[in-house]
């Protein structure tokens, strides 16, 4: 059988007419449209990629975290927007060991201001770089912030805060990257640091390690002061703190503090309800000069919406409108005070003096005259009707136009680590805001560390009772009635 044979087509030399004719065919038009469309898509993709890369990180990296870990606070934005000199942030980290959370936050800082430059330094590649800035151990993901001749080191250990339970069986983690970094930027931009003196010599409570560290992270120096050995408050004092004295100040000490206030000094006082035999006559007389008077006894809250933990002496005060309290109001935080004394604010002080409440009870509150010896929470004859201030601030305008500020808080529990933990750090924030207001003016407000693990849900007694009723009675009864309705309907079908 012969194999079929095909003749090869003869090759024809292409002509211009033939080429022109091929360009008008339907196949060429379809193919040309496809190529053009693909080219346009590629072009648009390249342009879009260039434009997206040019956008700030706040636009391209949406913050979908539960605690808004990457969203900059108003305080940080104000500092970055007000920069007038270059700030360099060195991110010290080995390749492959980058903390993604921290990295995203750093991108937000660099994108917010043209004055902020972010540089990543691998210590394995540049081993001599750190010698100029830090001595000792440097942890991965630590930061160095530099501006001009000033620089500061932010350890990775300060970027994450750990709060342990009383028995150390559990802990919570908070991301303090923003507060640490903004504080570092503020530090390198400052020529001098404010100074807070804490009075000693009367059994005052020391600031806990966590509270003192928080103050120092706001770039405020802390030092002790004894007016028993010093004749006056030092000239470099931006604020004086008196924290829970067990005994009264002498008349000479009060006069030294008054002289300090008369020259524009600031004072923060925390006291507790008086115990048997305790007398703070001189200190309370000083507070009286600034339109604030202490009430006898322990405050009991009569409104279930204003106390917690099932006891009416665990107070959840109302936050009044002020620059000190507004960050907490906006965040929906509670302040928790235990065993507080009520403060009465003078309605018509002297012309140069303005007195405002910061924390207040409800109208249903009253003060138990029996104090720590009370046998019942119920209101009895002789108890003092509220409402009360639990914290107040007095502003005295001096003859030269400067101002002096006095803040009085009616419970030292504000500075207790355990109570602070119950309200997810809000007590500490309130205190830092008070210190910032007095030491630095209105701009001195703190940045709240953001919870990564469990954040305590603080609720009033009335809210807790309502939820209990809903879960124990209302919802089960609703399901029962719904099932009964279905059963009756089916029975009649």
């Amino acid at each position: 059988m012969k194999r079929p044979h095909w003749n090869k087509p003869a090759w024809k030399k292409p002509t211009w007419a033939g080429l022109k004719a091929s360009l008008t065919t339907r196949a060429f038009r379809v193919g040309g449209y496809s190529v053009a469309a693909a080219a346009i898509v590629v072009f648009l993709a390249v342009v879009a990629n260039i434009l997206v890369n040019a956008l700030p990180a706040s636009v391209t990296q949406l913050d979908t975290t539960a605690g808004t870990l990457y969203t900059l606070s108003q305080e940080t934005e104000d500092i970055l927007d007000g920069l007038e000199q270059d700030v360099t942030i060195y991110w010290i980290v080995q390749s492959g060991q980058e903390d993604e959370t921290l990295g995203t936050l750093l991108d937000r800082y660099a994108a917010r201001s043209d004055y902020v430059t972010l540089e990543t330094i691998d210590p394995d590649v540049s081993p001599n770089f750190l010698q100029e800035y830090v001595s000792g151990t440097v942890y991965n993901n630590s930061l160095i912030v530099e501006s001009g001749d000033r620089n500061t080191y932010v350890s990775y250990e300060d970027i994450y805060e750990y709060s342990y339970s009383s028995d150390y069986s559990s802990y919570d983690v908070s991301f303090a990257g923003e507060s640490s970094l903004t504080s570092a930027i503020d530090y390198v931009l400052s020529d001098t640091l404010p100074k807070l003196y804490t009075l000693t010599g009367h059994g005052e409570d020391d600031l806990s390690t966590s509270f003192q560290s928080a103050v120092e992270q706001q770039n405020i120096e802390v030092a002790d002061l004894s007016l028993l050995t010093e004749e006056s408050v030092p000239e470099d004092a931006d604020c004086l703190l008196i924290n829970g004295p067990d005994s009264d100040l002498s008349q000479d000490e009060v006069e030294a503090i008054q002289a300090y206030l008369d020259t524009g000094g600031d004072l923060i006082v925390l006291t507790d309800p008086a115990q048997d035999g305790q007398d703070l006559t001189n200190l309370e007389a000083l507070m009286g000069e600034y339109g604030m008077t202490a009430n006898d006894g322990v405050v009991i809250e009569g409104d279930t919406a204003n106390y917690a933990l099932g006891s009416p002496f665990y107070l959840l005060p109302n936050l009044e409108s002020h620059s000190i309290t507004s960050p907490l109001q906006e965040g929906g935080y509670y302040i928790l005070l235990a065993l507080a004394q009520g403060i009465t604010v003078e309605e018509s002080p002297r012309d140069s003096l303005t007195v405002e409440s910061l924390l207040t009870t409800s109208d249903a509150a009253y003060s138990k005259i029996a104090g720590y010896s009370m046998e019942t929470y119920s209101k009895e004859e002789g108890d003092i009707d509220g409402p009360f201030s639990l914290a107040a601030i007095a502003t005295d305008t001096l003859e030269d136009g400067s101002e002096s500020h006095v803040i009085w808080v009616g419970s030292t529990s504000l500075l207790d680590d355990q109570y602070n933990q119950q309200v997810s750090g809000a007590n500490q924030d309130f205190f830092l805001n008070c210190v910032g207001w007095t030491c630095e003016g209105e701009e001195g407000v703190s940045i709240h560390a953001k919870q990564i693990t469990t954040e305590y849900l603080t609720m009033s007694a009335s809210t807790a009772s309502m939820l209990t009723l809903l879960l124990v009675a209302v919802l089960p009864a609703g399901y029962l009635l719904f099932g009964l309705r279905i059963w009756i309907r089916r029975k009649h079908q």
Side-chain angles (χ1 to χ4, degrees), residues 20 26 34 51 88 127 159 255 257 352 481 489:
K20 185 176 181 181
R26 182 176 181 277
S34 298
L51 292 176
T88 303
I159 293 174
E255 290 176 359
I257 295 174
S352 64
L481 292 175
R489 187 175 61 184

Side-chain angles (χ1 to χ4, degrees), residues 406-440:
V406 177
I407 296 176
W408 190 5
V409 181
S411 177
T412 61
S413 63
L414 178 75
L415 306 186
D416 185 279
D417 287 330
Q418 182 177 355
Y419 295 130
N420 181 55
Q421 187 177 3
Q422 289 290 337
V423 287
S424 300
N427 278 16
Q428 184 181 94
D429 283 354
F430 177 79
F431 177 66
L432 292 179
N433 292 350
C434 290
V435 173
W437 174 268
T438 53
C439 284
E440 301 177 290

Side-chain angles (χ1 to χ4, degrees), residues 473-484:
V474 176
L475 288 180
Y479 281 118
L480 181 62
L481 292 175
F482 181 72
L484 182 62

Side-chain angles (χ1 to χ4, degrees), residues 140-177:
N140 261 330
N141 292 291
S142 295
L143 306 171
I144 295 173
V145 180
E146 183 179 46
S147 181
D149 297 331
R150 291 176 68 88
N151 64 76
T152 186
Y153 170 66
V154 180
S155 172
Y156 188 60
E157 293 182 325
D158 296 329
I159 293 174
Y160 288 90
E161 298 178 352
Y162 296 84
S163 299
Y164 292 88
S165 61
S166 57
D167 59 358
Y168 290 88
S169 62
S170 62
Y171 64 89
D172 295 326
V173 183
S174 298
F175 181 63

Side-chain angles (χ1 to χ4, degrees), residues 220-432:
I220 298 173
E221 296 182 16
V222 181
D224 291 338
L225 171 66
S226 172
L227 289 176
L228 299 174
T229 57
E230 300 289 337
E231 295 182 355
S232 62
V233 178
E235 292 184 359
D236 65 345
D238 292 280
C239 183
L240 176 63
L241 172 66
I242 303 177
N243 182 25
D246 287 334
S247 59
D248 200 9
L249 280 62
S250 69
Q251 187 60 40
D252 289 341
E253 290 175 300
V254 169
E255 290 176 359
I257 295 174
Q258 183 67 72
Y260 163 69
L261 294 173
D262 288 342
T263 57
D266 294 330
L267 174 66
I268 299 175
V269 177
L270 293 93
T271 57
D272 288 318
Q275 301 186 34
D276 292 341
Q278 188 180 40
D279 182 13
L280 300 179
T281 301
N282 291 335
L283 178 59
E284 290 182 358
L286 177 63
M287 295 295 99
E289 291 295 320
Y290 290 88
M292 296 175 284
T293 306
N295 290 275
D296 294 332
V298 173
V299 173
I300 297 296
E301 183 57 70
D303 189 337
T304 55
N306 285 87
Y307 69 82
L309 307 178
S311 297
F313 60 80
Y314 287 116
L315 309 177
L316 299 176
N318 301 314
L319 278 67
E320 301 300 324
S321 179
H322 193 278
S323 296
I324 290 174
T325 56
S326 60
L328 298 168
Q329 288 176 316
E330 294 168 2
Y333 289 100
Y334 285 100
I335 301 297
L336 178 61
L337 300 179
L339 296 172
Q341 66 179 156
I343 300 171
T344 297
V345 171
E346 189 174 339
E347 294 183 359
S348 301
R350 62 179 183 271
D351 292 340
S352 64
L353 188 68
T354 301
V355 189
E356 305 170 80
S357 294
L358 298 175
L359 305 176
T360 58
T361 67
S362 74
D363 292 343
Y366 48 90
S367 185
K368 296 287 296 180
I369 292 299
Y372 299 104
S373 301
M374 74 178 81
E375 297 180 354
T376 177
Y377 297 143
S378 300
K379 188 174 182 299
E380 299 176 298
E381 184 178 354
D383 291 341
I384 305 172
D385 291 327
F388 307 103
S389 292
L390 298 175
I393 179 170
T395 302
D396 192 15
T397 303
L398 307 178
E399 292 182 358
D400 61 359
S402 62
E403 292 182 344
S404 177
H405 303 98
V406 177
I407 296 176
W408 190 5
V409 181
S411 177
T412 61
S413 63
L414 178 75
L415 306 186
D416 185 279
D417 287 330
Q418 182 177 355
Y419 295 130
N420 181 55
Q421 187 177 3
Q422 289 290 337
V423 287
S424 300
N427 278 16
Q428 184 181 94
D429 283 354
F430 177 79
F431 177 66
L432 292 179

